[in-house]
Amino acid sequence: MSTKGDYAAVRKDIAALLHQPEYDDGSAGPVLVRLAWHSAGTYDATTDTGGSNGAGMRYESEGGDPANAGLQHARVFLEPVKEKHSWITYSDLWILAGIVAVREMGGPDVPFSPGRTDYVDDSKLPPRGRLPDGAQGAAHIRHVFGRMGFSDQEIVALSGAHNLGRCHADRSGFDGAWVQNPTRFSNSYFRLMLSLTWKEKTLPNGVKQFVHVDEDLGQELMMLPTDLALVNDPQFRPWVELYAKDKDRFFEDFSAVFHKLTELGIRRDAKGKVLNSDNVKGGYVS
Ligand code: DDH
């Protein structure tokens, strides 16, 4: 048990659990980043519903959304951290874990603002189907991310998270990693998207994705239809080109937009105190 509010102690324990030799590419990092993103990425600005407040994925209605398949691994990795630092809310822990994972895998520092509640406000629960579908194209991407208030530039920067991790046929139906080293945060995703030839492939389960086979390395890399929509759309493409050649600019923009993602639906006063958390009846009281 650490002192309440000692986020440095929590960060340390998250960093220590990332190394998982038996899991995927040896790291829990990518799936933790995806947990943070899916907890926040249900937000709808018009109705002010969804978002990371409430950690709704603990419950069947959100946790059982097929879009969240596999994220139970991330939650299980974090359980010992929650047990040790029981004062932290799940909603803050999931966001902090994504932020620590990005940094530990060589990515930028993303600011962390705590104060989320684990109180589930039923009127704020997101319906299923709010997360993006990899089989779609640019219009779908703009619809989903526009709903959260993101610009074209922010959408492309956020998508750079696909430098990390992989698709699992038993989770999403897609299969494989986007880059050669999927546990190292970089701008390779943008560079490979532009420089390699991508061919459509139908997997044994009927799912279509794009692949590049590197004969020398004997390695197959993949892209989702939504990934390649970023190079094929004339408004998205200039941002892909910029991030492919300017890694520092990508890191800077990713940091800002990932922070924005984590704050969707969280209202704070001038001092940063969350207004729709501690004061909620039945919510987490600090
Ligand atoms: Fe993603 N993502 N994502 N993604 N994502 C998958 C894996 C990972 C889409 C679909 C998929 C973002 C945007 C999109 C990560 C982070 C982020 C998988 C594979 C699919 C499918 C899941 C599986 O089989 O295990 C689509 C579509 C979009 C879109 O923009 C249209 C964003 C914005 C992020 C982010 O973090 C900001 C990460 C990390 C992974 C790897 C997970 C793992 O287990 O490894």
Side-chain angles (χ1 to χ4, degrees):
M1 180 70 172
S2 53
T3 314
K4 182 167 188 279
D6 186 357
Y7 292 100
V10 182
R11 280 177 186 263
K12 213 169 140 229
D13 286 337
I14 296 168
L17 68 77
L18 295 180
H19 182 59
Q20 295 285 346
E22 304 296 315
Y23 180 77
D24 268 9
D25 302 287
S27 173
V31 79
L32 292 178
V33 174
R34 191 165 196 241
L35 177 68
W37 136 241
H38 277 207
S39 80
T42 55
Y43 189 65
D44 172 41
T46 313
T47 54
D48 188 31
T49 55
S52 61
N53 229 0
M57 229 189 284
R58 288 171 297 156
Y59 304 104
E60 175 56 25
S61 65
E62 189 176 337
D65 185 334
N68 287 328
L71 293 180
Q72 70 276 12
H73 293 280
R75 296 195 293 277
V76 168
F77 284 133
L78 290 175
E79 206 44 43
V81 182
K82 171 66 179 164
E83 269 168 34
K84 185 166 166 196
H85 310 277
S86 53
W87 52 266
I88 195 171
T89 57
Y90 279 104
S91 44
D92 273 347
L93 178 60
W94 294 353
I95 295 297
L96 184 58
I99 287 173
V100 170
V102 166
R103 185 70 197 94
E104 290 292 316
M105 290 187 285
D109 268 319
V110 177
F112 170 64
S113 315
R116 288 163 196 79
T117 180
D118 281 349
Y119 170 71
V120 176
D121 179 346
D122 288 339
S123 70
K124 300 281 182 196
L125 279 178
R128 289 185 179 184
R130 283 216 178 146
L131 292 160
D133 170 4
Q136 308 272 331
H140 170 75
I141 300 174
R142 280 202 183 85
H143 170 73
V144 168
F145 287 87
R147 188 200 70 216
M148 296 182 245
F150 291 117
S151 67
D152 283 358
Q153 172 261 316
E154 290 174 318
I155 293 170
V156 177
L158 266 182
S159 305
H162 282 175
N163 271 284
L164 301 173
R166 58 174 56 252
C167 296
H168 307 77
D170 59 341
R171 300 183 189 175
S172 61
F174 298 101
D175 196 24
W178 291 267
V179 304
Q180 283 96 343
N181 184 351
T183 61
R184 187 81 198 151
F185 195 92
S186 76
N187 62 344
S188 299
Y189 165 79
F190 296 118
R191 287 191 286 110
L192 297 177
M193 193 183 268
L194 289 168
S195 62
L196 300 182
T197 318
W198 298 97
K199 288 210 168 72
E200 192 178 70
K201 176 177 175 179
T202 304
L203 302 179
N205 59 11
V207 171
K208 288 184 191 331
Q209 63 183 39
F210 291 86
V211 299
H212 173 85
V213 183
D214 188 319
E215 305 285 357
D216 298 332
L217 293 175
Q219 194 180 19
E220 184 173 294
L221 298 175
M222 63 87 60
M223 289 278 163
L224 300 169
T226 41
D227 294 313
L228 291 188
L230 303 179
V231 260
N232 294 327
D233 179 89
Q235 271 84 44
F236 285 138
R237 188 179 172 107
W239 297 108
V240 174
E241 288 171 349
L242 176 67
Y243 296 142
K245 68 168 191 277
D246 190 341
K247 183 178 150 212
D248 292 342
R249 176 68 193 274
F250 166 53
F251 274 36
E252 202 179 299
D253 288 357
F254 182 84
S255 170
V257 72
F258 199 80
H259 181 248
K260 177 173 169 178
L261 171 74
T262 67
E263 288 291 299
L264 294 175
I266 315 288
R267 281 191 298 284
R268 299 182 184 274
D269 67 14
K271 287 187 178 148
K273 186 175 159 53
V274 180
L275 298 172
N276 52 341
S277 168
D278 296 356
N279 299 333
V280 177
K281 187 172 167 276
Y284 177 75
V285 181
S286 62

